[in-house]
Amino acid sequence: MQTRTRTRAAVATTLLLAALTACSSSDGGTSADSEPTISVPAEHEGDDLEAAVAVYTASYFAGDADTAYGMLSARCAEETTKDAYTAVVKKAAADHGADHPLTDVHAEVSGTTGHATYKVTGLPGFDKKEQPWTLEDGAWKYDDC
Protein backbone atom coordinates (compact mmCIF):
# COMPACT_ATOMS: atom_id res chain seq x y z
CA MET A 1 0.00 0.00 0.00
CA GLN A 2 2.89 2.39 0.74
CA THR A 3 4.25 1.96 -2.79
CA ARG A 4 0.83 2.75 -4.26
CA THR A 5 0.54 5.81 -1.97
CA ARG A 6 3.98 7.03 -3.04
CA THR A 7 3.06 6.47 -6.68
CA ARG A 8 -0.15 8.46 -6.24
CA ALA A 9 1.75 11.24 -4.48
CA ALA A 10 4.27 11.34 -7.33
CA VAL A 11 1.47 11.46 -9.91
CA ALA A 12 -0.33 14.20 -7.97
CA THR A 13 2.90 16.21 -7.77
CA THR A 14 3.50 15.75 -11.50
CA LEU A 15 -0.05 16.86 -12.28
CA LEU A 16 0.32 19.90 -10.01
CA LEU A 17 3.57 20.88 -11.72
CA ALA A 18 1.93 20.44 -15.12
CA ALA A 19 -0.93 22.67 -14.00
CA LEU A 20 1.42 25.35 -12.72
CA THR A 21 3.45 25.22 -15.91
CA ALA A 22 0.33 25.47 -18.04
CA CYS A 23 -0.87 28.49 -16.05
CA SER A 24 2.21 30.61 -16.67
CA SER A 25 2.74 32.64 -19.77
CA SER A 26 5.99 33.42 -21.51
CA ASP A 27 6.20 36.78 -19.71
CA GLY A 28 6.00 35.09 -16.30
CA GLY A 29 2.38 36.14 -15.65
CA THR A 30 -0.93 34.57 -16.44
CA SER A 31 -3.11 35.38 -19.37
CA ALA A 32 -6.54 36.75 -18.46
CA ASP A 33 -7.83 35.97 -21.95
CA SER A 34 -7.64 32.20 -21.78
CA GLU A 35 -7.67 29.36 -19.30
CA PRO A 36 -4.95 26.71 -19.47
CA THR A 37 -5.83 23.31 -20.83
CA ILE A 38 -4.27 20.36 -19.06
CA SER A 39 -4.35 16.96 -20.65
CA VAL A 40 -4.21 14.15 -18.09
CA PRO A 41 -3.24 10.72 -19.41
CA ALA A 42 -6.25 8.39 -19.32
CA GLU A 43 -4.54 5.94 -16.95
CA HIS A 44 -4.25 8.71 -14.33
CA GLU A 45 -7.56 10.52 -14.84
CA GLY A 46 -9.04 9.50 -11.45
CA ASP A 47 -5.82 9.73 -9.41
CA ASP A 48 -6.72 12.95 -7.59
CA LEU A 49 -10.12 11.56 -6.63
CA GLU A 50 -8.59 8.26 -5.52
CA ALA A 51 -6.13 10.18 -3.34
CA ALA A 52 -8.97 12.25 -1.84
CA VAL A 53 -10.95 9.09 -1.07
CA ALA A 54 -7.92 7.59 0.68
CA VAL A 55 -7.33 10.73 2.78
CA TYR A 56 -11.00 11.05 3.71
CA THR A 57 -11.33 7.40 4.71
CA ALA A 58 -8.08 7.39 6.69
CA SER A 59 -9.11 10.55 8.57
CA TYR A 60 -12.57 9.12 9.22
CA PHE A 61 -11.26 5.94 10.87
CA ALA A 62 -8.46 7.81 12.66
CA GLY A 63 -10.99 10.09 14.34
CA ASP A 64 -9.59 13.18 12.59
CA ALA A 65 -12.87 15.07 12.40
CA ASP A 66 -11.26 18.33 11.25
CA THR A 67 -9.86 16.73 8.11
CA ALA A 68 -12.90 14.56 7.40
CA TYR A 69 -15.42 17.36 7.95
CA GLY A 70 -13.30 19.70 5.83
CA MET A 71 -13.63 17.20 2.98
CA LEU A 72 -17.44 17.26 2.98
CA SER A 73 -19.15 18.97 0.07
CA ALA A 74 -20.90 22.24 0.83
CA ARG A 75 -24.21 20.41 0.47
CA CYS A 76 -23.23 17.74 3.03
CA ALA A 77 -21.72 20.30 5.44
CA GLU A 78 -25.07 22.11 5.43
CA GLU A 79 -26.84 18.88 6.42
CA THR A 80 -24.80 18.21 9.57
CA THR A 81 -23.05 20.32 12.18
CA LYS A 82 -19.37 19.90 12.79
CA ASP A 83 -20.10 18.74 16.36
CA ALA A 84 -22.51 16.04 15.18
CA TYR A 85 -20.07 14.88 12.50
CA THR A 86 -17.21 14.87 15.02
CA ALA A 87 -19.21 12.50 17.22
CA VAL A 88 -19.72 10.10 14.27
CA VAL A 89 -16.03 10.14 13.33
CA LYS A 90 -14.87 9.67 16.93
CA LYS A 91 -17.26 6.71 17.32
CA ALA A 92 -15.96 5.13 14.10
CA ALA A 93 -12.40 5.48 15.38
CA ALA A 94 -13.31 4.00 18.77
CA ASP A 95 -15.31 1.13 17.28
CA HIS A 96 -13.01 0.17 14.40
CA GLY A 97 -9.58 1.75 14.86
CA ALA A 98 -7.44 3.48 12.26
CA ASP A 99 -5.79 0.59 10.42
CA HIS A 100 -8.14 0.04 7.48
CA PRO A 101 -6.37 0.83 4.21
CA LEU A 102 -8.39 0.91 1.02
CA THR A 103 -8.07 -1.74 -1.68
CA ASP A 104 -9.50 -2.10 -5.17
CA VAL A 105 -9.91 1.67 -5.47
CA HIS A 106 -11.39 2.85 -8.75
CA ALA A 107 -12.52 6.39 -9.54
CA GLU A 108 -14.51 7.64 -12.47
CA VAL A 109 -14.48 11.35 -13.20
CA SER A 110 -16.72 13.36 -15.49
CA GLY A 111 -16.16 17.10 -15.23
CA THR A 112 -16.78 18.14 -11.63
CA THR A 113 -18.51 14.91 -10.68
CA GLY A 114 -16.80 11.73 -9.57
CA HIS A 115 -17.69 8.29 -8.30
CA ALA A 116 -15.43 6.06 -6.24
CA THR A 117 -15.64 2.33 -5.72
CA TYR A 118 -13.41 0.71 -3.09
CA LYS A 119 -13.08 -1.83 -0.31
CA VAL A 120 -12.11 -1.05 3.28
CA THR A 121 -9.71 -3.68 4.65
CA GLY A 122 -11.31 -5.64 7.47
CA LEU A 123 -14.63 -3.77 7.29
CA PRO A 124 -16.70 -5.04 4.35
CA GLY A 125 -19.72 -3.14 5.67
CA PHE A 126 -17.90 0.06 4.73
CA ASP A 127 -17.07 -0.99 1.15
CA LYS A 128 -18.47 1.51 -1.36
CA LYS A 129 -19.72 1.27 -4.90
CA GLU A 130 -20.00 4.44 -6.97
CA GLN A 131 -19.76 6.74 -3.94
CA PRO A 132 -20.50 10.31 -5.13
CA TRP A 133 -17.87 13.04 -4.94
CA THR A 134 -17.88 16.59 -6.29
CA LEU A 135 -15.12 18.99 -7.26
CA GLU A 136 -15.45 22.26 -5.33
CA ASP A 137 -12.85 25.04 -5.39
CA GLY A 138 -10.33 22.70 -6.99
CA ALA A 139 -10.64 19.93 -4.38
CA TRP A 140 -12.61 16.68 -4.32
CA LYS A 141 -15.32 16.69 -1.66
CA TYR A 142 -17.30 13.76 -0.24
CA ASP A 143 -20.89 14.15 -1.46
CA ASP A 144 -22.64 11.04 -0.13
CA CYS A 145 -24.90 12.63 2.48
Side-chain angles (χ1 to χ4, degrees), residues 7-144:
T7 301
R8 293 208 182 286
V11 170
T13 301
T14 302
L15 294 175
L16 177 62
L17 291 174
L20 293 174
T21 302
C23 289
S24 65
S25 66
S26 60
D27 65 358
T30 58
S31 172
D33 297 333
S34 65
E35 292 185 24
T37 301
I38 301 169
S39 177
V40 178
E43 66 269 17
H44 294 293
E45 195 167 89
D47 283 358
D48 288 343
L49 176 53
E50 287 182 19
V53 170
V55 170
Y56 174 79
T57 305
S59 64
Y60 183 89
F61 288 114
D64 181 356
D66 289 335
T67 300
Y69 189 81
M71 294 184 75
L72 295 182
S73 68
R75 182 178 73 84
C76 289
E78 287 180 10
E79 291 188 18
T80 186
T81 66
K82 186 171 183 184
D83 288 341
Y85 193 77
T86 296
V88 169
V89 170
K90 296 295 183 187
K91 180 164 176 31
D95 289 351
H96 306 291
D99 191 22
H100 300 285
L102 301 183
T103 61
D104 302 326
V105 182
H106 178 69
E108 292 182 18
V109 174
S110 178
T112 60
T113 301
H115 291 91
T117 299
Y118 57 91
K119 294 181 180 180
V120 180
T121 302
L123 298 173
F126 285 90
D127 294 351
K128 299 297 177 188
K129 184 171 180 150
E130 297 183 8
Q131 181 182 60
W133 287 72
T134 187
L135 191 62
E136 294 177 353
D137 298 323
W140 284 107
K141 301 290 184 162
Y142 174 86
D143 197 42
D144 195 14

